[in-house]
Amino acid sequence: MKKVLALLLSLAMVLSLAGCGSKEPATKAQEAGGEGAAASDSGWTPSQPITIMNYVKAGGGMDIATRKFVEIAAKYTDATFVVDNTPGAGGMTAMEYVLSQPADGFTIFAGTVSNVAYLVANEEDLEKYIWGFQWIDDIMADPYSVMVPAGSDIRTLEDLLAKCRAEGTVWCGPSTGGAKHLAALQLWGSLGIENATWVPFESGPDALLAVIGGQGIATVGNPGDVEGKDLKNLVIATNEKLEKYPDVANFADCGYPELDELNMWRGFAVKKGTPAEMTEWFQKLVDQVTADEEWQKFFADSSIVVFNKTTEEFEAIIKDNIADYIDILKSLELIDASYEG
């Protein structure tokens, strides 16, 4: 009898240990409330790697943002992300690729306001290249900044305006019709600058060097562009002062608060028709990433404002961009008067 009881106890212990051993340990993402929570909320779970397609070369602003996003996202999801780069035609090459893929959520386009500017300036089909996408997450605003040489006697926006109004001035920048050129045109219109000339250079860095060398009075860029260069931010378009440049005026300080809305957005889009469950899953992940302290510090150090504006708000911003760009380019006769997108 004792042998039988001993045998039964031994068997019970084996079964108990087997039951405990069959439970897999939680992943770091699950412990952080990551993929498991996101999938159960939306009903969608990634069954294969998700490709994020950049339209810029490796090292570009959107590429850096995308790769940092994937790094931080690993804390909250076990999904696999692949970051790819397909530059060309102002983003249209990458857009064409994403639009050629199934609308299943496994291919995401990483875009910026520069894509909108390029499409409008080249009178492209916006119904295809903009509204063929659902713009699901606007993740950041890289504010525009007016910059002048560090040793310039121009110390305030009013100093710059006085020179621009008194004489014809040259501003150096990237391509005609690009996002920074259009931002400059918007600034000039609001500030009453009528006799400025935009001289385009092959790249943003070339334009900055031209301003440093005295070939132009100013340029429009982003605040971090001054780092390591003989340039200074004169005024930054931001509603809240940047931690890194607390003493630099914003446009509200100068009496033009509406100009503080000008910025270079960066965000994600999927092919229209992608399941709502997928976009909900991804938007929750973006919420987790954008609330992450590491993410926030990384971009604060670069003077970039981070957030998560989802489809309704994001697409409203894009509609405003399109309307502004069409009006500006038509007024300068840079696009056909009949173009509506």
Side-chain angles (χ1 to χ4, degrees):
M1 185 67 176
K2 290 182 179 179
K3 289 182 179 180
V4 173
L5 287 172
L7 182 60
L8 289 172
L9 288 170
S10 297
L11 181 59
M13 289 179 67
V14 169
L15 290 172
S16 175
L17 289 170
C20 292
S22 66
K23 184 178 180 181
E24 296 180 4
T27 64
K28 288 192 294 184
Q30 289 167 334
E31 289 171 353
E35 183 190 16
S40 63
D41 287 350
S42 72
W44 190 87
T45 303
S47 58
Q48 66 187 63
I50 299 171
T51 297
I52 301 181
M53 183 62 64
N54 276 312
Y55 79 96
V56 295
K57 296 178 181 178
M62 190 68 228
D63 179 69
I64 291 170
T66 302
R67 294 180 189 278
K68 190 66 179 178
F69 175 85
V70 169
E71 177 189 333
I72 303 296
K75 298 180 183 181
Y76 303 101
T77 179
D78 295 320
T80 299
F81 288 96
V82 177
V83 179
D84 203 350
N85 300 77
T86 305
M92 290 174 63
T93 305
M95 286 176 158
E96 286 277 11
Y97 176 79
V98 176
L99 291 172
S100 73
Q101 300 303 299
D104 56 13
F106 292 107
T107 311
I108 295 174
F109 176 65
T112 74
V113 70
S114 295
N115 304 130
V116 181
Y118 180 91
L119 292 167
V120 173
N122 288 276
E123 300 180 57
E124 296 291 349
D125 181 2
L126 302 187
E127 194 60 36
K128 174 181 179 180
Y129 290 107
I130 295 295
W131 306 122
F133 291 93
Q134 179 186 351
W135 297 84
I136 52 176
D137 294 276
D138 178 5
I139 60 172
M140 62 182 60
D142 199 350
Y144 286 122
S145 169
V146 176
M147 293 172 286
V148 297
S152 170
D153 60 356
I154 297 173
R155 303 187 186 283
T156 67
L157 179 62
E158 281 304 318
D159 291 342
L160 177 63
L161 293 180
K163 285 183 178 290
C164 290
R165 290 165 180 164
E167 59 192 69
T169 54
V170 169
W171 293 48
C172 303
S175 61
T176 299
K180 290 177 181 176
H181 179 211
L182 292 173
L185 292 172
Q186 288 175 287
L187 291 172
W188 296 349
S190 293
L191 297 172
I193 298 173
E194 298 179 351
N195 54 355
T197 301
W198 183 265
V199 176
F201 286 78
E202 187 172 341
S203 69
D206 289 340
L208 297 179
L209 288 173
V211 173
I212 293 169
Q215 295 180 53
I217 194 171
T219 189
V220 173
N222 304 108
D225 291 340
V226 303
E227 296 299 316
K229 303 179 185 69
D230 196 22
L231 288 168
K232 64 183 178 184
N233 290 306
L234 191 68
V235 57
I236 298 173
T238 179
N239 290 311
E240 297 181 11
K241 296 294 183 69
L242 299 179
E243 184 178 326
K244 201 166 187 177
Y245 305 105
D247 298 325
V248 177
N250 61 12
F251 283 100
D253 292 333
C254 306
Y256 305 93
E258 70 281 2
L259 293 177
D260 285 327
E261 300 300 324
L262 284 178
N263 64 73
M264 177 171 285
W265 56 254
R266 300 187 178 102
F268 298 120
V270 291
K271 184 176 179 179
K272 186 156 282 185
T274 295
E277 294 82 4
M278 181 275 162
T279 61
E280 289 169 12
W281 175 88
F282 189 75
Q283 287 169 338
K284 175 170 181 179
L285 179 60
V286 176
D287 277 338
Q288 292 171 309
V289 171
T290 53
D292 187 274
E293 289 185 8
E294 182 182 351
W295 171 268
Q296 292 181 354
K297 183 179 187 310
F298 181 85
F299 288 103
D301 289 345
S302 301
S303 301
I304 294 172
V305 181
V306 296
F307 41 63
N308 182 22
K309 297 179 180 179
T310 52
T311 299
E312 185 176 357
E313 189 173 5
F314 193 6
E315 293 190 347
I317 291 168
I318 294 172
K319 287 176 182 177
D320 286 343
N321 292 153
I322 291 169
D324 289 342
Y325 294 164
I326 288 177
D327 285 348
I328 291 168
L329 292 171
K330 281 185 179 180
S331 71
L332 297 172
E333 300 183 350
L334 293 174
I335 61 174
D336 192 274
S338 64
Y339 177 74
E340 296 296 336

